[in-house]
Amino acid sequence: EQILALSDSRWYRPASTNLSALPLPASVNTAIQRVILGLDAHRPWVIKDPRMCLTAPFWLAAMEYPLVLICSRDAHAVAASLHARDNMPPEYAIALWEHYAVSLLKASYAQAKIHLRYEELIEQPTAVIEQIGAQLQAFGVDRLHTPSAAELHAYLQPAAVKPRKHAFPALTQEQLIIQSMLQGDTPIDINVEVSPASRELMARVIQGPPIG
């Protein structure tokens, strides 16, 4: 949140896809390095926070050997979840997904990475976990624990509950390409940008009252 505040952003109304261009206060940089140093004492480790799609450049810069695991989910499913949890308008939820996706794609462009589809993990957890484990080992990640089928079921069962679907706008051609990049089906384009329509929509909301 401190990093997002540098551009007067919040998780639900990010103001920029290029936070890395902002100067990072020494206190925040020190805090990041302290977190990474503590985690490095217990390698291998993983950290998950959706806001890292926006703040990843700062975290990646503090890591020695970062490996990005992109777990992509259908954009409409993400929007449905945001609508159900935060009462977020469907059009805005799609634009927010696009903003996060573009930020993540830019940050991970030059990084070692693995692509994972959320829907495949829910439908075929054992097979997907075995595949991810093999990919991690290929990148030199060792000392991994492979969860049992029972462990996977207990962990993933709550996530398998799908939010009620509402009427969501169809993805634009630009958004379909972005989704394909997230899934690893299309090479990431470093010049990918949030569409003008989504930028305009989010700018209107940022300037207006809080949503949700």
Side-chain angles (χ1 to χ4, degrees):
E1 289 297 332
Q2 288 179 286
I3 297 175
L4 293 178
L6 295 175
S7 61
D8 194 28
S9 296
R10 299 292 183 272
W11 74 264
Y12 55 84
R13 56 171 181 81
S16 171
T17 57
N18 189 26
L19 288 177
S20 60
L22 299 173
L24 191 66
S27 59
V28 178
N29 188 50
T30 299
I32 290 175
Q33 292 178 344
R34 186 181 300 117
V35 170
I36 298 299
L37 185 61
L39 290 170
D40 276 347
H42 307 280
R43 289 182 179 178
W45 53 266
V46 62
I47 187 168
K48 169 188 171 291
D49 189 320
R51 292 170 296 183
M52 283 192 165
C53 293
L54 307 175
T55 63
F58 298 109
W59 293 96
L60 291 169
M63 299 178 191
E64 283 188 282
Y65 307 108
L67 173 61
V68 179
L69 176 58
I70 300 178
C71 182
S72 61
R73 188 178 184 185
D74 179 78
H76 285 129
V78 174
S81 178
L82 290 170
H83 179 79
R85 190 190 69 185
D86 301 294
N87 196 30
M88 189 174 289
E91 294 81 2
Y92 186 85
I94 292 290
L96 184 64
W97 165 85
E98 182 181 343
H99 192 109
Y100 270 65
V102 168
S103 298
L104 173 58
L105 291 171
K106 285 179 172 293
S108 63
Y109 173 76
Q111 303 295 333
K113 52 189 159 290
I114 296 172
H115 294 268
L116 163 66
R117 296 192 187 189
Y118 173 88
E119 291 78 11
E120 291 181 355
L121 176 63
I122 296 299
E123 294 172 4
Q124 306 175 57
T126 301
V128 170
I129 290 299
E130 289 178 353
Q131 179 183 8
I132 294 300
Q135 290 177 292
L136 288 170
Q137 289 180 336
F139 277 109
V141 181
D142 55 12
R143 293 184 295 165
L144 297 172
H145 164 69
T146 301
S148 66
E151 288 175 314
L152 285 173
H153 178 80
Y155 182 76
L156 295 174
Q157 187 61 25
V161 179
K162 298 179 180 179
R164 186 177 302 174
K165 291 196 174 181
H166 296 265
F168 291 97
L171 298 185
T172 64
Q173 184 61 33
E174 293 93 337
Q175 290 168 339
L176 289 171
I177 293 174
I178 289 170
Q179 182 160 262
S180 182
M181 290 182 190
L182 286 176
Q183 294 171 343
D185 295 331
T186 298
I188 296 175
D189 180 359
I190 188 59
N191 296 313
V192 63
E193 295 289 348
V194 177
S195 64
S198 291
R199 284 186 181 276
E200 181 183 352
L201 172 60
M202 296 192 71
R204 290 203 308 269
V205 173
I206 289 172
Q207 294 168 5
I211 63 173

